[in-house]
Amino acid sequence: MKRRVVIIIVVILASAALGITYMLTTKTSVNFQYSVKIEHGVGQKEISEKIENAKQLEQIDSYKDAASAYKEEALKTQNANDQEAYWMSAVSEWKNALELDPQDKIVLNELGYGYFYLMNLSESKKAAIEKFHTGVKYFNRVLSIDPNFHWSIFGIGMLYFDMAERTNSPVEYLQKAIDYFDMGFEYDANYIWGHLSKAWAYFKIGNTTNELDQYRKAIPEFEKVLEIDQNNQSAKDGIRFSNEKL
C-alpha cells in the first residue's frame, strides 16, 4: 500500500495582536511526526531552519532504526563473520546519526558497545587493541556529557575485563575493570553482569598471581550473583572453583 501523507493545516485567526500559528504534521514511513510553529513577525529564514531541524530529527531516527535492526541480527546469529558484518553496519549507522547530533549520549553509548563486540570478534591483537581504545573513547564521551550515565561506566569495565587476556599486563586491566564495576555499582548495585565479571576478574587475578586472597574476594561476588539469579551456573561454578583453590 502506498504511503499516505496527511497534511493538516489549521489556521487560527484571533486578532491583530496575536500571531498566526500553523501546525504542520507529516507522518512518514518511520512514524515520525513533527510540528513547526510560525509566529507573527518570524522571517522565512527562521521558518526554514525549523523545518530543516525537524527533517534532521527524522533522519536521525532513520539511522537509529537501521542500526538497531543490524544490532538485533548481530545478537541472533552464531556465525562470527556475520556478527562482525552486522556490527560494522550498525556502527556505520550510529556514526551517521552522530554526525547530525554529536551530543546524543544514547548513540555514543551504543557505539561503545558496538566496538566492545567488534573487539571480541577481532582475530588479531592489534585490531582488538584498536577497537578497545575506540570503545573507551565513545564511553568517555558519554561520561563527559553525563557523568552519571552508569551504563557507560559498566561498558568501560567490560572492555577492560575482556581485553585483559590479550595484553601483556592482564592483572592491571582486570583491576581497572574491577574499579569501573565498583563505580557502576554506586548507581546500580544489582547489575548482575557487573558482579559476575568482577568475581571472575578476582579469580583470574588469583590464577595469575597465585594470591589466595583473590579467590576469597571472588566468592562474595559470585554469591551476590546468586542472590539475584539463584540458577546462575557460572556463579555456582565460580564458587566451586574458588573453594578448590583455597
Side-chain angles (χ1 to χ4, degrees):
M1 180 182 295
K2 295 182 178 180
R3 184 179 59 184
R4 297 184 58 191
V5 179
V6 179
I7 301 177
I8 302 174
I9 301 177
V10 179
V11 180
I12 303 175
L13 297 177
S15 68
L18 296 177
I20 302 177
T21 302
Y22 288 85
M23 183 67 72
L24 172 64
T25 303
T26 304
K27 180 177 288 187
T28 69
S29 59
V30 293
N31 294 323
F32 174 79
Q33 295 185 341
Y34 58 86
S35 61
V36 179
K37 187 176 182 181
I38 306 173
E39 299 291 353
H40 179 72
V42 175
Q44 184 60 43
K45 180 181 179 181
E46 288 80 357
I47 296 172
S48 298
E49 287 177 351
K50 289 184 179 182
I51 293 175
E52 189 59 34
N53 287 339
K55 289 181 178 179
Q56 181 170 298
L57 290 174
E58 177 185 359
Q59 188 62 64
I60 291 174
D61 282 349
S62 178
Y63 288 138
K64 287 180 180 180
D65 287 345
S68 295
Y70 285 126
K71 174 184 175 181
E72 183 178 347
E73 291 301 318
L75 294 173
K76 286 194 302 185
T77 184
Q78 299 299 313
N79 183 283
N81 291 330
D82 289 342
Q83 287 178 351
E84 186 174 24
Y86 282 129
W87 279 117
M88 289 179 66
S89 296
V91 163
S92 178
E93 296 295 342
W94 282 319
K95 285 183 176 179
N96 287 335
L98 199 63
E99 287 183 8
L100 298 176
D101 185 3
Q103 299 299 307
D104 190 324
K105 65 184 181 183
I106 302 301
V107 171
L108 287 166
N109 188 67
E110 290 282 23
L111 278 165
Y113 278 102
Y115 277 99
F116 164 78
Y117 283 102
L118 288 172
M119 178 193 75
N120 282 301
L121 290 166
S122 297
E123 294 184 0
S124 73
K125 180 179 177 180
K126 180 180 179 181
I129 290 173
E130 290 176 352
K131 302 297 189 301
F132 166 81
H133 287 297
T134 304
V136 171
K137 178 189 72 175
Y138 281 116
F139 284 134
N140 277 328
R141 283 182 62 181
V142 174
L143 297 175
S144 70
I145 297 169
D146 182 359
N148 299 321
F149 198 84
H150 63 282
W151 295 117
S152 289
I153 298 175
F154 283 127
I156 296 176
M158 295 302 298
L159 281 166
Y160 273 103
F161 177 80
D162 279 19
M163 190 65 199
E165 293 182 355
R166 304 181 76 169
T167 70
N168 297 324
S169 51
V171 172
E172 178 184 343
Y173 274 68
L174 289 169
Q175 187 57 58
K176 279 187 173 290
I178 290 170
D179 292 342
Y180 275 102
F181 292 142
D182 284 340
M183 284 189 282
F185 293 145
E186 293 180 11
Y187 302 94
D188 185 353
N190 294 317
Y191 181 52
I192 188 170
W193 293 111
H195 286 290
L196 188 60
S197 298
K198 181 182 177 182
W200 282 115
Y202 280 131
F203 185 90
K204 290 181 179 182
I205 292 175
N207 284 348
T208 303
T209 64
N210 293 318
E211 296 175 4
L212 296 182
D213 194 47
Q214 298 297 326
Y215 302 116
R216 295 188 183 97
K217 291 179 180 178
I219 291 174
E221 293 298 327
F222 285 127
E223 290 174 341
K224 177 65 176 180
V225 172
L226 292 176
E227 288 178 13
I228 302 169
D229 176 12
Q230 62 181 356
N231 297 316
N232 191 289
Q233 190 60 49
S234 181
K236 292 178 181 179
D237 291 340
I239 292 174
R240 177 165 57 86
F241 296 151
S242 296
N243 283 320
E244 288 174 357
K245 294 285 187 178
L246 295 174

